[in-house]
Amino acid sequence: MEYFLTEQQREIKNLTRTIAEEKILPVRAELDEKEEFPWEIMKILADTDLFGVYIPEEYGGLGGGLLDLCLVVEELSRVCSAVAVSYAASALGSFTLLEYGTEEQKRKYLLDISSGRKLAAFALTEATAGSDAGAIKTTATRTSDGYILNGTKQFITNGGEAEIYTIIALTAKERGARGASAFLVEKGTPGFSFGRKEKKLGIRASATRELVFEDCLVPEENIIGREGIGFIMTMKLLDRSRPGLGAQALGLAQGALEAAVDYARKRIQFGHPIIAQQAVQQMLADMATGVEAARALVYATARMIDSGAKNFTQESAMSKVFASDTAMKVTTDAMQIFGGVGYMRDYPIEKMFRDAKITQIYEGTNQVLRNAIAFELRKKKWVGD
Amino acid sequence: MVNIIVCIKQVFDPEAPASAYKIDAEAKRVILKGIPPVLSPFDENALEAALRIKDAHDSKVTVLSVGRNLSKAVLMKSLAVGADELLLLEDGAFEEMDSYATAFTLASAIGKLGGYDLILTGREAADTNAGTVGSGIAEILGIPSITIVRKVELDDGKVIAERVVSDGYEVIETPLPSLITVSNELGELRYATVKELVASRNKPIMTWNAQELGVEPPQVRQARLLSLFIPQKENRCEIVGGETAEEMGANLALKLRAAQIL
């Protein structure tokens, strides 16, 4: 399908595809097996400007938008979702800064993020606060020297590997979610340490760790925005980032579809390639339709956000829900087409299948996002839309 | 400023599966179906060598390619990674030339460009693997050449190169101008950044046909292709027996010697 990408967007997509096929494909199984963070690949993405595609030129980026970011994520995920999420999590860690940071904060941190010299990460989730994100317990107590952080963040993508963290903590505990604020915390700050690396079903090459804050002193100038708007900024951030997660699911589904079609062309049963079987054809047709529909929705949502729309909670949730459900379905069906060998680790499908599941869970479970979509529908007036 | 010329051949992707290649034995032609053209990999190594010199010294890198129906998209990759100029020698007369005619044509263009300090080529092309064009250019231009090089450095008007030999490498020094053929040990061609890819669209591409070049390639071929065929592969399996492991080993060694492998 023709999506009318700009010249720069086409170059971004092609370059990412070339890097993914030349540098990620040969090592993806090994990275997965060893659960090894893909630093060499991060370096290549950094050297080719790809960390800065969505960052304005004055901060060292290429001045593109969310669609540009989605194109990179999609192409990386087509080959390896773990690499894609490691890349995307750095963007997630920079969005709040990009939107609400002071000029000084942006100058200090965005150059390193856009050049890929440093990775970023975003930390909201805690043991008691998953879908109920307002239930966080990490505190930031104001003192004359700055803020003292205490608490533990859980399941943080790029935890331990990133240098720059956006942390959501309570500056006014009694106010709950309305007492939350966002802070920039650098790796190496005294009182800031990491828990163990989680052992995951999929996206194993990506790093997921606990962040532990024990009387961690953060300078006053590291607060993003002001006290009390941390939760609102976070909800806006996630609305903005979800099409990126949709792109991750989309790329994964595209990769599984291609693998399934190639295999169905080659696999001979009853004297013919199995792609000649209607049962297989019907599955492949549904898979291809789902992938293209997901792409159309993800790109359209990213474009809507890039055009400066104010409220896009519903569209953003829909793009993530639809793309991730598609990724789960397509990888499941791809494994079915592969049959027994698809279940074996010698073939890429079992990894794609494992990698797909998380896309229905993180950055808002698909159930909580359906709630958000329904909430928007309840408010909707169907006139002149 | 160091004036570097890199000669690059466009070939069909040598990474394509063997099943994609067919032969027309009658016409002595390779029939290619769905194989994309790429820069010949050793020539990419040569371009990387040029760019490393450019990283260290004020340099101008000109990429030169000869042929017919050259894909600009493929050759523009050289501009995107950091070459300054691209000169395409395109003419019907430049099709299917042998090594001598190719070397002659490239040398003529280099002579016409003039002012060069260093010429870099790949050690051989990925399609013919003849490995003679580089040395041929040096011979025609009357300049020294160093072949199969893994490292190139410039130092005070001299070039110092590490030449790959079977059990290590030799370090060779020549004055400029000179020609070097580069091997894969030098390292892969870097990726272009997004900014470079977009900017490369505005870099100059010059095209000369035979008339503009001012020479006709030699009509008499120095080398003639006698026949073209895909070798038949035969697999045979033989189990070497013996009472003990030592005996089996000895029997295997004797078999291998008889087959002139050992």
Side-chain angles (χ1 to χ4, degrees):
Chain A
M1 206 161 290
E2 173 58 57
Y3 289 103
F4 304 100
L5 301 178
T6 64
E7 196 175 283
Q8 180 157 314
Q9 286 165 341
R10 278 200 299 274
E11 296 288 9
I12 287 170
K13 195 169 160 78
N14 291 339
L15 176 63
T16 313
R17 176 167 291 210
T18 304
I19 293 170
E21 289 184 346
E22 291 180 358
K23 300 294 176 192
I24 305 177
L25 189 60
V27 297
R28 70 173 170 191
E30 191 187 343
L31 289 172
D32 182 66
E33 181 82 25
K34 292 188 176 162
E35 311 202 6
E36 190 181 300
F37 191 79
W39 271 118
E40 273 181 39
I41 296 160
M42 293 296 121
K43 169 112 187 23
I44 296 169
L45 300 179
D47 289 345
T48 47
D49 301 341
L50 290 170
F51 274 101
V53 293
Y54 63 96
I55 293 176
E57 288 173 78
E58 61 260 44
Y59 307 115
L62 294 175
L66 188 61
L67 180 57
D68 304 60
L69 179 68
C70 286
L71 295 171
V72 178
V73 174
E74 177 191 355
E75 288 300 329
L76 292 176
S77 192
R78 176 175 163 269
V79 172
C80 179
S81 247
V83 171
V85 73
S86 306
Y87 165 85
S90 193
L92 182 68
S94 71
F95 275 171
T96 311
L97 168 64
L98 196 53
E99 200 162 348
Y100 299 96
T102 62
E103 189 57 31
E104 204 181 348
Q105 287 171 335
K106 290 190 204 176
R107 294 237 165 268
K108 184 168 176 194
Y109 294 108
L110 281 178
L111 282 172
D112 281 340
I113 294 172
S114 65
S115 64
R117 278 193 295 273
K118 291 179 178 173
L119 292 183
F122 175 78
L124 169 68
T125 298
E126 297 181 12
T128 56
S131 290
D132 183 10
I136 58 167
K137 294 204 167 96
T138 296
T139 54
T141 312
R142 189 162 192 169
T143 68
S144 53
D145 301 326
Y147 293 89
I148 305 224
L149 268 61
N150 275 294
T152 301
K153 293 290 173 186
Q154 196 181 37
F155 300 156
I156 305 309
T157 306
N158 283 356
E161 311 295 339
E163 300 280 336
I164 302 161
Y165 294 80
T166 300
I167 309 292
I168 307 301
L170 299 172
T171 38
K173 219 164 149 185
E174 67 288 353
R175 301 190 67 197
R178 287 185 184 166
S181 306
F183 297 91
L184 286 160
V185 185
E186 291 179 54
K187 183 177 174 177
T189 306
F192 176 22
S193 61
F194 302 101
R196 73 180 181 105
K197 192 170 166 182
E198 303 290 349
K199 291 183 181 297
K200 305 189 292 288
L201 172 73
I203 54 166
R204 289 186 178 177
S206 70
T208 311
R209 284 193 179 85
E210 276 183 347
L211 312 185
V212 182
F213 298 95
E214 294 162 305
D215 292 331
C216 172
L217 178 67
V218 176
E220 196 180 332
E221 66 264 23
N222 279 26
I223 190 167
I224 306 178
R226 53 185 163 79
E227 280 188 24
I229 63 164
F231 196 70
I232 298 163
M233 288 192 298
T234 299
M235 293 303 113
K236 292 206 166 184
L237 156 73
L238 294 175
D239 280 352
R240 183 170 288 273
S241 68
R242 275 185 194 115
L245 199 285
Q248 184 194 329
L250 161 65
L252 181 55
Q254 175 70 37
L257 169 67
E258 289 176 27
V261 170
D262 285 348
Y263 184 76
R265 281 196 200 122
K266 281 191 218 136
R267 171 70 171 166
I268 310 285
Q269 289 288 274
F270 307 108
H272 298 285
I274 60 170
I275 201 164
Q277 301 278 358
Q278 274 196 350
V280 174
Q281 291 173 359
Q282 300 281 307
M283 285 169 85
L284 289 172
D286 283 344
M287 289 157 74
T289 308
V291 170
E292 205 58 61
R295 183 172 291 116
L297 187 52
V298 167
Y299 287 11
T301 308
R303 282 202 161 113
M304 175 189 178
I305 296 171
D306 287 340
S307 74
K310 289 278 175 278
N311 183 7
F312 37 81
T313 303
Q314 181 184 347
E315 291 79 3
S316 151
M318 285 177 0
S319 72
K320 190 270 188 185
V321 166
F322 186 79
S324 59
D325 284 351
T326 300
M328 196 68 244
K329 174 148 183 21
V330 168
T331 54
T332 305
D333 288 348
M335 187 181 285
Q336 195 68 20
I337 288 168
F338 268 73
V341 298
Y343 200 71
M344 302 300 151
R345 287 201 215 162
D346 296 337
Y347 288 77
I349 290 296
E350 62 86 30
K351 174 185 181 295
M352 295 178 180
F353 177 82
R354 287 187 281 109
D355 288 352
K357 188 62 212 173
I358 191 62
T359 63
Q360 294 179 306
I361 299 172
Y362 63 12
E363 282 200 51
T365 65
N366 284 7
Q367 287 65 39
V368 93
L369 293 180
R370 284 188 168 89
N371 289 351
I373 296 166
F375 184 76
E376 295 294 318
L377 290 175
R378 285 170 66 183
K379 296 191 296 189
K380 200 133 199 147
K381 293 189 180 68
W382 301 99
V383 284
D385 190 7
Chain B
M1 190 169 71
V2 190
N3 212 336
I4 306 171
I5 293 174
V6 185
C7 300
I8 295 191
K9 183 175 187 179
Q10 187 178 308
V11 298
F12 287 93
D13 192 350
E15 300 291 327
S19 58
Y21 288 85
K22 300 255 181 315
I23 295 275
D24 180 346
E26 196 78 359
K28 295 172 199 161
R29 267 172 178 270
V30 182
I31 303 163
L32 303 145
K33 230 175 93 183
I35 305 174
V38 296
L39 303 182
S40 183
F42 291 122
D43 297 348
E44 287 200 348
N45 302 132
L47 180 54
E48 177 61 27
L51 297 174
R52 287 183 193 175
I53 294 169
K54 193 180 169 184
D55 289 341
H57 306 271
D58 179 26
S59 311
K60 180 181 165 197
V61 176
T62 303
V63 167
L64 186 55
S65 191
V66 61
R68 190 183 172 211
N69 292 332
L70 296 169
S71 162
K72 289 204 171 53
V74 173
L75 287 157
M76 273 182 60
K77 179 179 177 184
S78 56
L79 289 177
V81 290
D84 301 286
E85 268 180 15
L86 179 57
L87 171 56
L88 304 179
L89 307 174
E90 274 199 290
D91 199 300
F94 299 153
E95 198 181 18
E96 291 187 14
M97 295 192 292
D98 64 5
S99 297
Y100 175 72
T102 305
F104 177 84
T105 310
L106 288 169
S108 305
I110 292 167
K112 188 168 170 170
L113 282 171
Y116 56 88
D117 299 301
L118 184 62
I119 303 166
L120 295 166
T121 71
R123 58 181 283 181
E124 63 201 60
D127 50 1
T128 57
N129 292 305
T132 48
V133 167
S135 307
I137 295 169
E139 192 64 29
I140 293 166
L141 294 173
I143 58 173
S145 71
I146 309 171
T147 54
I148 316 184
V149 162
R150 60 170 219 172
K151 190 176 178 188
V152 192
E153 272 176 359
L154 291 188
D155 181 28
D156 195 21
K158 298 181 306 244
V159 56
I160 300 157
E162 292 180 7
R163 180 176 189 275
V164 179
V165 290
S166 59
D167 53 355
Y169 63 91
E170 302 167 339
V171 181
I172 299 176
E173 182 187 300
T174 75
L176 296 174
S178 56
L179 181 142
I180 284 175
T181 80
V182 178
S183 189
N184 54 303
E185 289 88 347
L186 182 121
E188 281 180 13
L189 179 61
R190 62 196 61 186
Y191 286 108
T193 67
V194 177
K195 276 179 209 156
E196 289 168 335
L197 282 164
V198 175
S200 70
R201 291 172 184 275
N202 297 322
K203 284 192 183 177
I205 301 180
M206 295 182 289
T207 310
W208 292 351
N209 59 24
Q211 200 188 350
E212 285 161 323
L213 178 60
V215 293
E216 284 291 330
Q219 294 303 310
V220 181
R221 285 178 167 255
Q222 307 293 314
R224 256 182 331 121
L225 183 64
L226 296 180
S227 75
L228 191 64
F229 61 95
I230 293 174
Q232 294 295 323
K233 270 192 192 160
E234 282 179 35
N235 295 316
R236 216 153 42 89
C237 180
E238 196 178 325
I239 307 292
V240 178
E243 291 296 317
T244 62
E246 286 79 10
E247 200 183 315
M248 286 182 207
N251 286 344
L252 177 62
L254 287 171
K255 284 266 180 202
L256 291 174
R257 175 163 297 179
Q260 296 182 329
I261 292 166
L262 280 184

